[in-house]
Each structure stands twice: as structure tokens, then as C-alpha cells.
Amino acid sequence: MYANARGQRILIWTTIVSIVLFGIAFSGLMHLFPPPPPTADAAEVLRIYSAHNTEFRVGVVVCLLTGTGTLLPLSVAISVQMMRLEQGIPLWSITQALTGALGTIFLWGPPLIWGAAAFTVTRDPSLTLLLHELGWLSFITPVTAFPLQLVSIAFVSLTRNPPPGRPAFPRWIGYLTVWQALQSFGGLVAMLFKSGPLAWDGLIPFYFPLTLFFIWVVAISYTLLRAISDQERSRARPLGGEVT
């Protein structure tokens, strides 16, 4: 299947740039990294939203602008490459694209809730605490589209024979994707614990999945870009074997 190589590269780099900007806003403007502990009381939470209120809300705007770009463009590029490996109706490619689109809700949705908490800091602090907890639990605990998206990629990577050239989904990407899918379920336990490694600021729900997510994005972006370049060279090579 032929698809515009330049367009695919733009999609992949849009995701990379969006993730960087999202991270800068999340950490540098909203000051939410490292995550505040779930045990923080209403007065402590209120200080998070009032200490740098304008800066915080600017960070929310950046997260809202980049939240969709962190996952959707990459998902489209992945589906384009998956379709090259599927015969007939590309069910796994369609599933991957749809779940990638749905998953963006959980990247721009929580910043919107935190933005509502920061919008009026003169309200009852207990209401700000409520919004704060809703935002964090929405960010950490939903196990919905992302695991199914990863399963789709892993299935194609591990069961389909790649065409000649450097594959977009080598088998090691499949195994890495399976591990990422399993790690993503760790967020569920944050609903049950307020302290320790299982709380929303702990190793299992936050740091392990976040670290592996960045590794996975870098890895799959690299294999996609490499495969796209290889496909370009293959299309430019005449039957005699010389590149024009």
C-alpha cells in the first residue's frame, strides 16, 4: 500500500513535538511533576492552583492544544503501516486508529479539569480538592482504549510476516508493546491507595508506565521513520536495481 511518505513523517514528528510541549506545560508551567501526593489536604491543594495561577492556566491551554497531537497523528501513521501487513479488511489497523483517537480524551480531559480547578481559586477549597482528585484519577486510572490499541499493534507485529526491507514493526517492537500494555493496567490500583508505590504518585501507576511510554514512543517512531525511508528507496529503485 502506497502512502505519502512526507505526510507520514509529518504525523510522526507532530506527535514527538506535541509530547515535548505537553511535558513542558505539565511540568514547567503547571508544576504537576512530580505529582502531588493524594494525601494532600484542601489547603495544600489550593496552593498548587493559586501560587502560579496565570502560569498554571497557560500550561492548561498548551496541554489542551497538544493533547490530541500526542497520540492521534502517530496512531494514523501506525495504521498506514499496519495496513501494509494485513490482507482483506484491515481490522487491526482500524481498531488501532479508532482506539488511538479515543485515547486522546484522557490526555486533554484531565488538564481541562485541572484548568477548571485553577479558574476560580476563591471558591470553597474542598471543591478545588474535588476537581484536583477527579483530574488525577481521570489521568491515571482509566484503562480503556490504550491497551486495546497496543494489543492491535502487538498482534500485527508478532503474527504478520513483514515485506522485504526494514520492517516498521520488528518483533522486538511487538514484545515492547505487549509489556507497555501490561504496564498500563497498573494505573487501576491508584483508585485503591492514597500512599506508597500504588498511589497515583507511586512507581506502579505513574513512574513505570510513564517511563515505558516514552521509551515505546521513541522506539516505534524510530522504526516507522526508518521503514518509511526504506519504502521510499524501494519505490525509487528501477527493475534493474539502480536507484534513479
Side-chain angles (χ1 to χ4, degrees):
M1 172 177 285
Y2 172 77
N4 181 270
R6 182 182 180 185
Q8 292 180 74
R9 289 194 183 97
I10 290 173
L11 290 172
I12 295 167
W13 281 106
T14 296
T15 285
I16 294 171
V17 171
S18 295
I19 288 175
V20 171
L21 293 176
F22 189 97
I24 291 172
F26 185 82
S27 177
L29 297 176
M30 298 169 68
H31 304 281
L32 292 181
F33 184 87
T39 54
D41 60 25
E44 293 172 314
V45 167
L46 181 60
R47 283 194 290 271
I48 296 173
Y49 295 92
S50 59
H52 308 280
N53 184 261
T54 301
E55 185 178 326
F56 189 100
R57 286 185 286 154
V58 171
V60 169
V61 171
V62 175
C63 286
L64 293 176
L65 289 172
T66 59
T68 301
T70 57
L71 197 58
L72 182 58
L74 180 65
S75 300
V76 173
I78 290 172
S79 282
V80 169
Q81 290 297 319
M82 288 174 64
M83 288 178 186
R84 300 181 73 244
L85 304 178
E86 293 193 79
Q87 297 179 352
I89 298 175
L91 297 177
W92 292 106
S93 303
I94 294 170
T95 300
Q96 193 279 146
L98 291 176
T99 50
L102 179 61
T104 62
I105 296 173
F106 302 103
L107 292 171
W108 59 257
L112 181 61
I113 298 172
W114 293 322
F119 192 73
T120 303
V121 293
T122 55
R123 67 165 68 89
D124 184 342
S126 64
L127 297 178
T128 299
L129 175 61
L130 175 63
L131 289 171
H132 172 77
E133 291 180 342
L134 176 61
W136 273 104
L137 292 174
S138 299
F139 189 59
I140 297 294
T141 63
V143 178
T144 50
F146 192 47
L148 183 55
Q149 178 187 11
L150 296 171
V151 167
S152 302
I153 297 168
F155 182 84
V156 169
S157 177
L158 297 174
T159 63
R160 299 293 187 267
N161 293 322
R166 290 180 292 188
F169 309 103
R171 292 187 69 84
W172 65 267
I173 280 289
Y175 293 121
L176 180 65
T177 302
V178 169
W179 183 236
Q180 174 65 52
L182 293 174
Q183 283 273 79
S184 65
F185 286 95
L188 282 172
V189 297
M191 189 68 72
L192 305 175
F193 297 89
K194 284 195 172 184
S195 61
L198 301 180
W200 78 44
D201 62 338
L203 291 175
I204 304 301
F206 185 79
Y207 288 101
F208 283 168
L210 179 67
T211 301
L212 190 56
F213 173 76
F214 281 113
I215 293 172
W216 178 80
V217 167
V218 171
I220 201 166
S221 296
Y222 167 74
T223 59
L224 286 171
L225 290 169
R226 188 182 63 173
I228 291 166
S229 296
D230 195 61
Q231 292 156 22
E232 267 190 319
R233 286 192 294 270
S234 296
R235 285 194 296 269
R237 187 176 299 120
L239 294 177
E242 296 180 359
V243 178
T244 58

